[in-house]
Amino acid sequence: MRAQIAAGRLACDGLIDPSAAVDVLDRVEAEGIETVRMVFADAHGILRGKTLTRRALVGAFSSGLRAPSTLLLKDISHRTVFPIWSDTGDAPMTGASDVLLVPRPETFAPLPHAPHSAMMLCRVLHPDGAAIPFDTPTILQTAVDRLRARGLRAVMGLEVEFQVFELVDAAREHVDATMPPRPPRTRGVNQGWQYLTETRYDAAEPLLDKVRRGAESIGLPVLSVEIEMGPSQFEFTFEAADPITTADRAVLFRTLVKEICARDGYLASFMAKPRLENAVANGWHIHQSVTDLEGRNLFAPEKTDALTGTASAWIGGLLAHAQASCIATTPTVNGYKRFTPFQLAPSRVGWGRDNRGAMLRALVVFGDVASRVENRVADSTANPYLALAFQILSGLDGITSGRQAPLPLVNPYDETAGALPQTLGAAIEAFATSSMYRTALGTETQDYLIRLKQAEWDRYLATVSEWEQAEYFTAF
């Protein structure tokens, strides 16, 4: 096996470590793994892929897997939104051609809820092994490399909110199988509105223990499990790490939660603002700091609590590109319903010191080596590779351009401060006119992201809403 993998195309091209691959094969044999789910994050951060039997793994480690390129060209409803049958040259991939999936052995993880099965993340490349510039993990890796070229590293923390509901009607009738399907009917697992209360945690502990143990069993370092603000809402936090590791953890955790809950008759949702009575919004707070290559935190104040030069420049960059970055941090139509004043979610572009209403919450204290900035604009639907890449590119631009943080906001909802986009359409426009992102990402990647989200926005605008029906049906 070792010789076959070492002589294979992936090893010869330097795309896989044969020793790591053989270690995975040994684990598969020793642990009785029957199938391995070879998955990758699509443009939306949703895991897709193929499931291989044990006998197919040597071939996958030798030559990779092939999958339709259209998996990178779909919107959330799973419609392909690029003209793949056109010869006009305005589609990034035509003819529903293949992409190459390259296994990442270091991500191999047996699944706690399916003990006979394991999961492994894959890189997505062109069939000839060339990088796909708009593949979102590639976008993040490029941003990380650009930061490192300046002698810097980013450290990112994962803090994610979600809800779990009991299924009442799973919506499995044939008429429900639309694109997208009819949402299931649900009810809560608790009454909620008892933020961080012990009795609510105890009641939910059997479910939360199953999720926590599942996360820990695949190597996700859980720090806290919390009862969040709203009914049936929870929050998990994890140890900080480099951006790639944090993004990997985010997509794995989101999938793990949904799969564990589904097996017990629950529906876990990371939707930004569910259309359910009394449901509250789900945010994803991105904790971030910058270190030098030796690991010294450049956000940690050395004398007073004043911002360091690096922290000030980074904040300045995040604020300067806040509107354009929303296409990555708030990628859905629904997410903009979360930007409302006085709801512990931001609505204005600004920063504050330990202020939970501000877009950027600066947690910088003299003597605290964990000093950091918390960006509260993202929601739990964000593709983590893209969201973290946009943090790095914005912050790095702040450093290279010599930006400085403005005065902090005392009132984070001050209407004199610049507003965040109120719709996905406005966010698309801000991103489309961003010269920084066009330079940093390249024209192909910027146009790809615009087309992908514009398709979603256009479908939304073409849909007749319940409000319209109530407003006009009997009035005219």
Side-chain angles (χ1 to χ4, degrees):
M1 293 187 300
R2 183 183 298 272
Q4 183 177 341
I5 294 172
R9 180 249 174 116
L10 298 186
C12 291
D13 289 349
L15 298 175
I16 199 168
D17 177 358
S19 295
V22 172
D23 288 344
V24 168
L25 294 176
D26 291 342
R27 287 190 63 186
V28 166
E29 185 69 27
E31 299 176 31
I33 301 297
E34 300 172 16
T35 57
V36 179
R37 306 176 189 181
M38 313 292 275
V39 297
F40 67 94
D42 71 4
H44 313 286
I46 295 172
L47 293 183
R48 299 179 181 265
K50 298 182 177 184
T51 297
L52 300 187
T53 61
R54 186 188 306 179
R55 65 176 59 90
L57 288 177
V58 173
F61 286 140
S62 301
S63 304
L65 303 171
R66 285 178 172 260
S69 60
T70 51
L71 296 178
L72 296 175
L73 307 178
K74 295 183 183 297
D75 67 5
I76 293 292
S77 75
H78 301 279
R79 290 177 170 88
T80 299
V81 298
F82 290 82
I84 60 170
W85 309 117
S86 169
D87 60 0
T88 60
D90 59 349
M93 297 166 172
T94 57
S97 56
D98 281 347
V99 291
L100 181 69
L101 305 186
V102 177
R104 296 173 54 198
E106 73 278 8
T107 66
F108 175 82
L111 295 174
H113 55 289
H116 69 284
S117 189
M119 185 176 286
M120 192 183 315
L121 294 174
C122 297
R123 296 175 61 194
V124 185
L125 304 173
H126 284 295
D128 63 0
I132 299 172
F134 51 80
D135 167 58
T136 55
T138 298
I139 293 172
L140 178 55
Q141 185 62 63
T142 301
V144 168
D145 292 344
R146 192 169 298 170
L147 189 64
R148 184 180 177 85
R150 292 190 63 89
L152 302 172
R153 290 176 178 156
V155 178
M156 303 286 190
L158 178 60
E159 176 186 330
V160 62
E161 298 167 354
F162 61 96
Q163 285 141 334
V164 180
F165 304 108
E166 291 183 5
L167 276 176
V168 176
D169 172 13
R172 291 176 183 158
E173 299 298 328
H174 295 299
V175 70
D176 299 324
T178 51
M179 296 178 70
R182 179 176 74 81
R185 286 198 305 114
T186 60
R187 68 175 186 175
V189 297
N190 64 33
Q191 289 181 304
W193 300 107
Q194 296 189 39
Y195 179 51
L196 293 182
T197 52
E198 166 59 21
T199 53
R200 285 292 186 229
Y201 177 81
D202 185 70
E205 187 178 49
L207 170 64
L208 296 176
D209 275 351
K210 189 171 290 189
V211 173
R212 174 185 55 78
R213 289 170 181 155
E216 291 174 337
S217 75
I218 65 169
L220 305 186
V222 179
L223 289 180
S224 68
V225 181
E226 302 176 11
I227 300 297
E228 253 300 333
M229 186 71 68
S232 303
Q233 188 182 40
F234 309 104
E235 177 183 272
F236 275 58
T237 68
F238 300 84
E239 288 181 0
D242 66 273
I244 295 292
T245 298
T246 295
D248 287 346
R249 289 172 179 172
V251 293
L252 290 171
F253 179 70
R254 195 158 59 189
T255 298
L256 186 79
V257 172
K258 293 180 76 68
E259 292 182 358
I260 288 175
C261 290
R263 289 190 174 222
D264 283 350
Y266 297 106
L267 185 147
S269 178
F270 293 76
M271 181 178 177
K273 193 171 177 63
R275 188 176 177 272
L276 300 170
E277 288 183 291
N278 297 315
V280 301
N282 292 311
W284 175 30
H285 304 153
I286 305 175
H287 292 258
Q288 53 199 286
S289 60
V290 173
T291 75
D292 58 23
L293 297 184
E294 286 70 46
R296 183 172 63 93
N297 186 353
L298 302 180
F299 283 11
E302 296 182 352
K303 294 182 179 180
T304 67
D305 289 346
L307 295 178
T308 66
T310 302
S312 178
W314 192 268
I315 288 172
L318 292 178
L319 296 179
H321 304 291
Q323 288 96 341
S325 296
C326 279
I327 198 173
T329 57
T330 313
T332 68
V333 169
N334 174 256
Y336 294 85
K337 310 295 174 63
R338 180 173 158 266
F339 292 168
T340 53
F342 313 113
Q343 298 297 313
L344 294 180
S347 64
R348 297 284 162 176
V349 177
W351 73 283
R353 291 186 179 277
D354 196 6
N355 190 322
R356 282 185 166 83
M359 175 189 143
L360 301 180
R361 179 186 175 212
L363 298 167
V364 292
V365 179
F366 170 61
D368 183 3
V369 295
S371 290
R372 63 200 182 276
V373 171
E374 176 190 12
N375 191 338
R376 298 173 63 85
V377 76
D379 67 57
S380 299
T381 67
N383 177 329
Y385 299 99
L386 205 56
L388 298 189
F390 277 45
Q391 303 304 290
I392 293 171
L393 294 174
S394 295
L396 182 57
D397 179 73
I399 292 173
T400 58
S401 301
R403 297 184 186 275
Q404 292 184 342
L407 292 175
L409 294 176
V410 177
N411 174 9
Y413 304 109
D414 187 342
E415 294 186 357
T416 63
L420 289 166
Q422 295 302 295
T423 66
L424 178 60
I428 294 170
E429 183 177 356
F431 177 68
T433 56
S434 170
S435 59
M436 187 278 283
Y437 278 123
R438 184 162 293 269
T439 300
L441 299 174
T443 300
E444 181 182 12
T445 297
Q446 188 181 42
D447 290 347
Y448 165 82
L449 293 173
I450 291 169
R451 182 167 194 130
L452 201 64
K453 301 315 296 183
Q454 188 67 48
E456 183 178 340
W457 180 241
D458 289 345
R459 281 196 301 109
Y460 172 73
L461 293 178
T463 300
V464 178
S465 67
E466 290 188 16
W467 184 92
E468 293 170 271
Q469 186 74 0
E471 188 79 1
Y472 306 125
F473 190 53
T474 59
F476 295 100

